Amino acid sequence: MPYVRQAIISALNSIGHPSMPERIKKLLKSENPYERESAVKIAGYFGYEECKEEIFNLVNDKDEEVRKVAYENIVFFEDEKIFEILKEGLEKEKRKVREVIARSLIYLGKDKALPLVEIALRDSSPWVRYYGVKSLVHHNPPDLLSILQDLLSKEDTTLVKIIIIESIGKTGNVKAIDILKMLMNTNDKDLLLAEQSLVGVFVIQEEKVIYVNPRFVEIFGYPTGLKTFNDFLNYIYEEDRERFKQRYHELLDKTFEYIIDEFKIKKGKDIAYIEMSMVGIMYKGKPAILGTTLDITYRKKMEEELKILSITDPLTGLYNRRGFITLADHTLNLVKRLNKKAIILFIDLDYMKWINDNLGHNVGDQALIDVANILTSTFRQNDLIARIGGDEFVVLGIIGEENHKEKIIERLTEKVKEFNTKEKRPYKLSLSVGYVVYDPENPKTLEELLQLADQLMYEEKRLKKQNNQYPFGRR
């Protein structure tokens, strides 16, 4: 792994340099899958057209993770071959790779995407079909409603039915209400979930609520006193009220013809989420606002679960690189406001290759889990702990004074020694650690902090090799 790290850091340090695309092209042909994967991400992010052919070739890579990122990034290049590459992937690839392809179709142009969406919608995997529906709705073909209705009649998985039903409700088509009502009469217990998406309707005129249908009353938790605009407003969470008022008046002032937005509402003691569509109308000769609402609470919860999965390492349960980067910026901003300091530790598990080669990858996975458990027992619950590479971990925590870092390192060293003494494993854990302190008065970017901590960690590893020993813990 150190060679991978050195190569990627070298590449990142060269961003903007004329030789950067050539360096990335070399990494795309590397024997190491981690290098190939990282190089694809960099080339895709910066749009290096010079690397396009190499990335196209990597959709046939023997490593599944490399193939995933290759498919994920080719959609950002302009080339006629992309359609055939994605089509073949959807027809022949493994399930997890097909899911990535289906999710990426949103980023393709409409004409190229829709034929591929049709393939995704026939896939055996519910998640591929799920992302296929999302891509379909995003590209919004003229016959979207009839396509969704046809898909619903054939679908047998609850997850996909829910997204189809919600998509029907979101089309804004008057016929959608009739379709959803019709579903309420079915004996299919899964399709009774249509009730979650059945449209609630209200009309407000001259600050008075002059009409609500039963479904709207149900969505808002049976508000018996809902008579005025202010009564209506009280059911919307305070943080969303000003935005709702602004949207309402934009319609009255005819700034927009219609509004679609999401709001949090009070539903008894619970929080619910609604998607609200509003349009200005004339009612009995006077201006009014006609609104329809969908209860999207279930979808929001599902999206949150998917979000958690997308930022979590499935092996250790720690944050992955994406999760760490996302949350670390928030932590550093908090450090600035509190005028505190933070410590970042870059941690590498020594002997990982030896463990995998001699004891097997299952044992190697257990070693990674052991390191994760040690880190979670060493650091506080609100510290960010992540596995950001194969055998690499990073920790970000707020500290009161700079000298607190020594206590943190001592605590980690003792935890490793304690593990090696008590646990009967066919290996001993040894960690190389590099750390830096973030000071708001002398700020550095997160990337700079990680790079410096990584370099210090690698220096410690080099010293261990130079002395021909790997002590169990920090030197």
Side-chain angles (χ1 to χ4, degrees):
M1 288 305 295
Y3 300 108
V4 179
R5 186 167 49 257
Q6 279 186 314
I8 300 304
I9 287 175
S10 173
L12 289 172
N13 285 339
S14 304
I15 289 173
H17 193 278
S19 67
M20 179 63 173
E22 288 303 316
R23 296 188 183 193
I24 293 298
K25 285 178 78 171
K26 290 180 181 178
L27 287 174
L28 289 169
K29 298 175 182 177
S30 167
E31 292 296 318
N32 192 305
Y34 293 106
E35 289 187 0
R36 298 196 300 276
E37 181 183 344
S38 300
V40 171
K41 292 177 180 178
I42 295 172
Y45 182 82
F46 289 99
Y48 290 137
E49 288 287 332
E50 302 94 326
C51 303
K52 181 171 61 179
E53 290 302 323
E54 284 76 10
I55 294 177
F56 287 176
N57 291 335
L58 288 178
V59 299
N60 298 313
D61 197 89
K62 61 184 178 182
D63 186 276
E64 185 175 299
E65 292 301 316
V66 175
R67 297 202 305 278
K68 281 183 184 178
V69 297
Y71 278 115
E72 207 167 22
N73 282 275
I74 64 172
V75 294
F76 298 112
F77 292 99
E78 290 292 333
D79 197 293
E80 291 301 318
K81 290 188 291 187
I82 291 174
F83 177 85
E84 290 301 326
I85 292 173
L86 294 175
K87 181 175 181 292
E88 186 174 356
L90 282 171
E91 291 172 342
K92 299 180 179 179
E93 263 291 358
K94 292 183 177 180
R95 175 182 59 81
K96 289 185 178 180
V97 183
R98 298 200 309 276
E99 289 174 6
V100 169
I101 298 172
R103 192 170 64 231
S104 301
L105 296 180
I106 287 176
Y107 302 106
L108 273 187
K110 184 175 183 177
D111 292 339
K112 290 182 180 178
L114 288 176
L116 297 172
V117 168
E118 288 183 17
I119 299 173
L121 293 173
R122 297 193 299 269
D123 197 274
S124 60
S125 165
W127 281 108
V128 175
R129 299 199 300 277
Y130 176 90
Y131 290 122
V133 173
K134 285 220 161 196
S135 295
L136 175 71
V137 174
H138 174 82
H139 291 295
N140 193 24
D143 53 347
L144 175 61
L145 185 60
S146 61
I147 295 174
L148 290 171
Q149 189 175 5
D150 182 58
L151 289 173
L152 187 60
S153 67
K154 300 172 182 175
E155 184 56 53
D156 60 359
T157 302
T158 302
L159 170 74
V160 187
K161 284 179 180 177
I162 291 171
I163 191 68
I164 294 173
I165 290 168
E166 289 187 348
S167 299
I168 289 172
K170 290 171 65 174
T171 59
N173 194 311
V174 175
K175 293 181 180 178
I177 299 177
D178 293 331
I179 293 171
L180 294 172
K181 285 181 177 178
M182 179 185 66
L183 293 176
M184 295 303 299
N185 297 321
T186 181
N187 292 323
D188 184 339
K189 62 179 180 181
D190 287 335
L191 287 183
L192 291 178
L193 289 163
E195 187 175 2
Q196 298 298 318
S197 297
L198 195 60
V199 177
V201 182
F202 65 92
V203 178
I204 299 177
Q205 186 179 63
E206 295 180 343
E207 303 296 312
K208 294 180 181 178
V209 178
I210 61 173
Y211 173 76
V212 292
N213 71 341
R215 175 59 179 155
F216 180 83
V217 172
E218 183 181 341
I219 289 174
F220 273 81
Y222 304 97
T224 53
L226 192 68
K227 295 181 179 179
T228 69
F229 177 73
N230 285 333
D231 293 335
F232 186 101
L233 204 58
N234 286 334
Y235 282 90
I236 296 178
Y237 262 80
E238 189 172 353
E239 62 200 70
D240 287 352
R241 283 179 193 166
E242 283 304 314
R243 179 162 52 89
F244 177 79
K245 287 168 64 176
Q246 177 185 346
R247 306 296 257 163
Y248 176 80
H249 287 292
E250 284 172 346
L251 285 174
L252 288 178
D253 298 338
K254 298 185 178 180
T255 305
F256 297 104
E257 292 183 6
Y258 64 91
I259 296 294
I260 300 177
D261 209 339
E262 295 178 4
F263 302 96
K264 278 201 309 185
I265 65 167
K266 299 174 183 177
K267 190 171 183 179
K269 296 180 180 179
D270 298 325
I271 297 175
Y273 293 85
I274 60 168
E275 183 175 80
M276 188 177 294
S277 303
M278 295 187 288
V279 62
I281 61 170
M282 294 298 292
Y283 182 75
K284 295 184 177 180
K286 294 181 180 180
I289 300 297
L290 168 66
T292 60
T293 55
L294 291 175
D295 187 341
I296 59 170
T297 307
Y298 187 92
R299 191 188 79 203
K300 280 291 184 181
K301 289 179 179 178
M302 184 176 291
E303 286 176 354
E304 188 61 31
E305 290 176 8
L306 289 172
K307 182 179 177 182
I308 291 171
L309 288 174
S310 74
I311 63 173
T312 304
D313 172 44
L315 177 66
T316 63
L318 302 177
Y319 289 114
N320 59 18
R321 177 180 287 274
R322 178 189 293 177
F324 178 79
I325 297 297
T326 301
L327 298 172
D329 286 331
H330 172 76
T331 300
L332 292 181
N333 287 332
L334 181 63
V335 168
K336 290 178 186 177
R337 290 201 304 270
L338 298 176
N339 196 28
K340 298 282 188 180
K341 294 183 179 180
I343 185 171
I344 288 185
L345 298 93
F346 209 109
I347 302 163
D348 188 274
L349 172 58
D350 301 325
Y351 288 132
M352 184 63 191
K353 186 176 186 305
W354 182 92
I355 293 174
N356 281 333
D357 291 348
N358 292 276
L359 302 176
H361 285 271
N362 288 340
V363 177
D365 286 348
Q366 183 58 54
L368 293 170
I369 293 170
D370 289 337
V371 173
N373 291 337
I374 287 173
L375 295 179
T376 53
S377 65
T378 300
F379 296 96
R380 296 166 300 186
Q381 191 172 5
N382 58 345
D383 292 334
L384 285 181
I385 309 171
R387 178 188 174 209
I388 62 169
D391 55 1
E392 296 174 337
F393 299 80
V394 66
V395 179
L396 170 60
I398 299 175
I399 57 176
E401 300 295 336
E402 188 164 339
N403 60 8
H404 289 174
K405 65 181 183 292
E406 303 299 339
K407 295 179 181 178
I408 292 172
I409 300 301
E410 288 174 10
R411 190 163 67 238
L412 177 57
T413 302
E414 288 303 314
K415 287 287 185 181
V416 174
K417 287 181 178 178
E418 181 182 330
F419 174 88
N420 286 326
T421 301
K422 291 183 177 180
E423 298 295 333
K424 304 301 181 184
R425 296 280 196 253
Y427 51 80
K428 295 290 186 181
L429 292 182
S430 173
L431 305 179
S432 293
V433 184
Y435 61 84
V436 292
V437 173
Y438 172 80
D439 187 344
E441 294 184 3
N442 184 27
K444 287 183 173 63
T445 66
L446 179 61
E447 290 76 13
E448 290 171 336
L449 293 167
L450 286 172
Q451 183 174 333
L452 182 55
D454 186 27
Q455 289 170 348
L456 292 172
M457 180 278 294
Y458 190 69
E459 177 62 19
E460 175 168 292
K461 189 177 286 287
R462 187 187 66 79
L463 289 173
K464 288 180 180 179
K465 288 183 177 180
Q466 183 177 311
N467 295 330
N468 197 29
Q469 60 177 357
Y470 277 87
F472 298 133
R474 186 176 173 81
R475 275 170 50 84

